[in-house]
Amino acid sequence: MADLNQNTDSRRKGKKRRIRRTGIRIDMTPMVDVAFLLLTFFMVTTAFRRPQTIEITIPADKESRKEVRVQESNLMQVLISRDQRFFVKPGNADIRPVDKSSLYAQMTGEIKKNIETQTGVSVKDRNKLILVFKMHPQSPYEQLVFVLDELNRSVDSLNMYYRLNQPAEKLVPRFTFVPMNSADMQMLEKVNAVKP
Amino acid sequence: MSRYRKKRAGIRLDMTPMVDVAFLLLTFFMLTTTFRPLDDIPVDIPESRTMMMVPASDKLTISVTGEKTLWITIEDPRLRNAVFSDKNKINQTVPAAELAQWISKIQIENMALYGPGRALQVVIKADRNTGYEFIHEIIETLRAGQISTVYFMTNPL
């Protein structure tokens, strides 16, 4: 068979010896079994939605804290009532109810307005607005995460708007969480009474 | 009387496509997998758009379940052995009133083991419907324990 003779004639005439090759059949069952076993294992142990985090910095204890005086015009209050409705009170303006979905636009607008009215060299220096989040004690924790997330989004979009790309010149979210006091609750009730 | 015996031919199914798909899936899972942490406390955490990862090391997780049960999770085995009574578990349930003591105990042990350079990374993993008051108290406790940074664990949207 291993004949390299180029003479085709002799090949044709020669005794044809054809070895009938039987197709090799390997039993693949064990391999497939193992493959399925591994597949099941990976499917069961995998975690698809990897959790992420929001970082917040807690200011130090009251004793070691310096008192910082802030102008009222540099504050924006965001209040969340017990029935999870949102209210904003920018500076010394009146409190007004806002839609949850428009909070992002409200915050972005106020921060931008604040930056434009301040004087300072860099945009970061001119960002004086501090968000004050006042949540009702019974309002759910997911609202806290929501407002933080929306604030981070606002700051990110303003960084894009002012083309701040270097980490040192980027705006940082400025906020504080303050427990809602009885005066705030009364204020909310008044707004609620006006609104149907 | 002759009985008819039908010779049954063994059914041969071509399993090649199925095996192909199985291997494809296997490869996919092997490449993309990140293992679910063992002894995970199931908590319905809120969603956010943040892209920041959970801290990789020196992590101290405080879980708040829907029933307002507090769990402390320490993944570092040395620190865990120093703090927890049951050495085989990475979680320990803690009454809310005792959280401050636990935090200071863990901080002291962490200091003794690794020195002052390695601060604990506190991750709060709370049920989405926990009242704000409860979270506020935990944060106040952490503040009293001189912890300056807290991470809220969220799921991607």
Side-chain angles (χ1 to χ4, degrees):
Chain A
M1 282 298 284
D3 189 11
L4 287 174
N5 196 347
Q6 292 298 306
N7 190 346
T8 47
D9 258 10
S10 75
R11 234 188 182 177
R12 253 178 225 158
K13 280 173 189 167
K15 200 170 138 199
K16 257 196 206 162
R17 233 229 227 140
R18 231 192 230 165
I19 292 178
R20 209 169 148 171
R21 285 183 191 252
T22 48
I24 304 166
R25 277 201 172 269
I26 301 174
D27 186 10
M28 296 219 208
T29 323
M31 187 188 69
V32 174
D33 285 353
V34 172
F36 269 100
L37 191 79
L38 285 172
L39 178 60
T40 325
F41 170 73
F42 278 104
M43 277 172 75
V44 170
T45 54
T46 202
F48 270 113
R49 294 211 301 178
R50 245 191 298 178
Q52 273 140 358
T53 56
I54 295 181
E55 184 185 351
I56 66 159
T57 309
I58 347 177
D61 237 343
K62 278 202 178 77
E63 295 90 60
S64 52
R65 212 184 315 175
K66 266 193 293 173
E67 194 175 282
V68 185
R69 293 200 165 270
V70 185
Q71 281 181 14
E72 201 185 2
S73 60
N74 288 338
L75 287 179
M76 179 187 182
Q77 295 186 38
V78 177
L79 296 100
I80 302 160
S81 71
R82 188 191 199 129
D83 50 353
Q84 300 183 47
R85 289 202 291 156
F86 288 69
F87 300 86
V88 293
K89 189 180 184 300
N92 38 23
D94 281 338
I95 186 167
R96 62 170 188 265
V98 290
D99 198 44
K100 190 181 173 183
S101 57
S102 72
L103 184 67
Y104 161 74
Q106 296 274 345
M107 289 195 294
T108 315
E110 287 296 326
I111 297 173
K112 201 173 149 223
K113 207 164 84 186
N114 188 269
I115 287 172
E116 255 130 58
T117 51
Q118 305 287 335
T119 51
V121 185
S122 68
V123 180
K124 194 179 176 180
D125 288 342
R126 281 185 278 155
N127 177 26
K128 295 272 200 294
L129 192 76
I130 297 173
L131 275 294
V132 182
F133 295 119
K134 290 185 171 173
M135 292 180 64
H136 191 277
Q138 259 83 57
S139 93
Y141 158 74
E142 70 180 328
Q143 302 296 358
L144 182 150
V145 170
F146 172 78
V147 290
L148 281 180
D149 198 35
E150 295 295 86
L151 178 60
N152 284 338
R153 253 176 85 210
S154 294
V155 170
D156 283 346
S157 74
L158 286 165
N159 279 331
M160 296 260 272
Y161 178 78
Y162 289 109
R163 294 173 204 282
L164 307 173
N165 300 318
Q166 303 304 318
E169 63 181 9
K170 274 190 177 175
L171 301 172
V172 286
R174 294 163 65 103
F175 64 92
T176 174
F177 278 94
V178 177
M180 202 178 252
N181 57 28
S182 51
D184 296 319
M185 287 186 200
Q186 274 170 12
M187 189 162 69
L188 279 188
E189 264 167 35
K190 253 188 235 167
V191 182
N192 272 344
V194 174
K195 282 282 284 183
Chain B
M1 240 188 163
S2 68
R3 263 218 296 204
Y4 257 102
R5 228 188 228 181
K6 240 192 198 165
K7 201 175 174 187
R8 288 183 188 249
I11 304 164
R12 277 202 170 269
L13 268 178
D14 188 12
M15 297 224 205
T16 322
M18 187 188 71
V19 174
D20 285 353
V21 171
F23 269 101
L24 191 79
L25 284 172
L26 177 61
T27 322
F28 169 73
F29 277 107
M30 277 172 76
L31 293 179
T32 59
T33 202
T34 44
F35 289 109
R36 260 210 317 251
L38 291 169
D39 294 335
D40 207 14
I41 310 250
V43 177
D44 183 18
I45 56 177
E47 278 102 24
S48 81
R49 290 182 177 82
T50 173
M51 302 297 273
M52 189 185 263
M53 286 291 150
V54 179
S57 59
D58 305 323
K59 193 165 57 176
L60 167 69
T61 312
I62 301 174
S63 306
V64 184
T65 64
E67 293 81 43
K68 286 194 179 172
T69 315
L70 278 184
W71 289 84
I72 289 180
T73 308
I74 303 172
E75 273 159 36
D76 182 74
R78 286 177 66 194
L79 183 59
R80 193 199 311 153
N81 285 346
V83 178
F84 288 169
S85 47
D86 188 347
K87 308 274 184 252
N88 297 318
K89 295 228 170 85
I90 67 165
N91 304 308
Q92 166 115 18
T93 170
V94 165
E98 287 174 23
L99 184 65
Q101 283 120 282
W102 277 95
I103 296 284
S104 66
K105 189 178 168 189
I106 294 167
Q107 277 179 315
I108 290 165
E109 294 293 344
N110 188 52
M111 181 81 97
L113 278 172
Y114 301 112
R118 280 171 64 174
L120 289 166
Q121 309 287 314
V122 180
V123 179
I124 292 183
K125 182 180 169 190
D127 185 271
R128 56 167 74 233
N129 290 317
T130 318
Y132 167 65
E133 210 172 20
F134 200 76
I135 304 293
H136 186 80
E137 264 164 43
I138 294 175
I139 293 176
E140 286 301 319
T141 309
L142 296 175
R143 187 214 295 277
Q146 310 294 320
I147 288 165
S148 60
T149 310
V150 172
Y151 300 89
F152 292 126
M153 196 188 270
T154 61
N155 268 332
L157 273 176

